Amino acid sequence: TQLLEQSPQFLSIQEGENLTVYCNSSSVFSSLQWYRQEPGEGPVLLVTVVTGGEVKKLKRLTFQFGDARKDSSLHITAAQPGDTGLYLCADNAGNMLTFGGGTRLMVKP
Amino acid sequence: SAVISQKPSRDICQRGTSLTIQCQVDSQVTMMFWYRQQPGQSLTLIATANQGSEATYESGFVIDKFPISRPNLTFSTLTVSNMSPEDSSIYLCSVRTGDSYEQYFGPGTRLTVT
């Protein structure tokens, strides 16, 4: 059974700070996805990465996939209160999504 | 993309009763899924709702407790049967369209069992 560990579990920062959250898998990812979930909503897909070493940027968010395809990081530059939410990594193996435990981020104005 | 609605958005139910949650999609989709998110936790897949046949359940989830229907390509229901306080969770419907990697999630149904 694949285990996805995310760290830190909780993060509270001030607006304008930078942060990085991590996702580590016990086995190689089929494809790695990052989601953000806001209170009262379902998760929303941010990015999909497939190739080891891949880096993708989405405005202030930078996603990095490890060379061995077993780890990933999400870096947010100049965080804003609108970035507050639960960040989830997931392994997308076709029909099945396996989620990590999530990082709960709060950005204070 | 797909727009997904769920009913009810939230409910408070008594122990021993059952609740049926509806999931409606604005377009025909190949795959529909039901997830559970316990308080402060991540998402766990309950089952895949198969159109015209029995749902496929993940380990730890059984049909008697979580019966699922999927009468067509845009609609599914999940029933939480004989509820106990441990069933208090957010239940989310998710769909996958075509050959895309993307899954889209509904807003969830927040269930509290007293």
Side-chain angles (χ1 to χ4, degrees), chain A residues 49-68:
Chain A
V49 286
V50 180
T51 306
E54 189 173 0
V55 177
K56 283 193 174 181
K57 291 192 175 184
L58 181 66
K59 296 183 181 178
R60 294 177 292 102
L61 279 60
T62 302
F63 304 87
Q64 197 150 3
F65 199 16
D67 291 340

Side-chain angles (χ1 to χ4, degrees), chain A residues 7 9 15 29 61 70-71 86 94 105:
Chain A
S7 60
Q9 286 186 280
E15 181 175 3
F29 282 96
L61 279 60
K70 292 181 68 176
D71 60 276
L86 177 66
L105 172 65

Side-chain angles (χ1 to χ4, degrees), chain B residues 84-103:
Chain B
S84 67
E86 292 70 36
D87 295 318
S88 297
S89 292
I90 299 172
Y91 292 86
L92 297 122
C93 172
S94 171
V95 305
R96 182 182 165 198
T97 60
D99 294 328
S100 168
Y101 280 119
E102 287 198 44
Q103 280 194 22

